[in-house]
Amino acid sequence: MKATLEKADPVQSKSGFIRKIFKKEALLSIALLVLLLAAWEILSRIGVLHPLILPAPTVVFSATLELLASSFLYLHLGVTLYETIAGFFIGSFLAIILGIVVSSNPTLYKVLNPFIVVFQAIPKIALAPIFVTWFGFGPTAKIVMAITICFFPTFVNTVVGLKSVDEESRLLFQSLVAKKKDTFFKLSLPTALPFIFAGLKSSLTFALIGAIVGEFVGANEGIGMLLDTFNFQLEMGKVYALIVILSIIALLLYLLIEWLDKKLIFWADRDNNN
């Protein structure tokens, strides 16, 4: 009976097989993680790994719980998140607007593209002291740093997405004497949105990196400042705990954009395996 059903519905049979494969891979990933943590713990306990270089996972876990129970962590975390989100929204907005403008004007694209590429090639860490000099030790310098780092992925993806519109579809709109506004909102933008969201996923993570880098260079608050302080005090357990917390936050921000992507761009082609 089971064989008959599989033969009658090969798509369902294939999807069930794929789910089993992914479930097996997930279990293997968890097993590998547990094995690595156990090896890390044992090597730390027997003295192979120095606690100042790589503290034991139990030490990091204990430090994480201690930080999460403290009130000052959330004050600094709020500052970093504010800088990250503000930089992300401003940088992404500017990137999308500029991407739309240069995509609709090939001459302008050729004129501006070399400057944009050269600016992207500049190591952003070299700009951090300059931004601190210009804007001081407050959040403005970190927001500008986040804007600088997160701008390029969204800009490039916006341009690529708008240039990937199917030529036959464009000709169809022209044959229907569609206005430029209608062509943009009903053809070009829907085609480009999957590309734009792909850029936004990277940009949000880069914005967090930009805020942290700015706080490293000069700040009196923020997670970057805490990392600097704990590192100077050789409290390596708390340093790694902050890294774990930042990793979780970055993952949650990424998943938020991923969720918005799937909800808002429901017409986009998805991986059939998902």
Side-chain angles (χ1 to χ4, degrees), residues 142-221:
K142 288 72 179 178
I143 293 173
V144 174
M145 190 69 193
I147 293 171
T148 303
I149 292 182
C150 80
F151 172 86
F152 197 72
T154 301
F155 171 77
V156 170
N157 280 46
T158 301
V159 173
V160 171
L162 291 172
K163 288 182 176 295
S164 66
V165 177
D166 182 60
E167 188 61 28
E168 292 183 0
S169 300
R170 193 187 299 276
L171 290 174
L172 176 61
F173 270 70
Q174 289 179 357
S175 66
L176 296 173
V177 198
K179 297 180 180 179
K180 288 186 177 181
K181 179 182 68 173
D182 294 330
T183 302
F184 175 77
F185 284 106
K186 295 181 180 180
L187 176 63
S188 300
L189 186 59
T191 302
L193 277 177
F195 294 87
I196 294 173
F197 266 88
L200 291 175
K201 294 172 190 176
S202 299
S203 292
L204 186 53
T205 305
F206 289 157
L208 178 60
I209 295 173
I212 297 295
V213 168
E215 291 170 353
F216 278 152
V217 175
N220 48 23
E221 54 187 353

Side-chain angles (χ1 to χ4, degrees), residues 83-96 147 150 200 204 207 257 260:
E83 296 164 351
T84 299
I85 294 172
F88 168 73
F89 276 108
I90 297 172
S92 299
F93 176 78
L94 294 175
I96 292 171
I147 293 171
C150 80
L200 291 175
L204 186 53
I257 298 295
L260 289 173

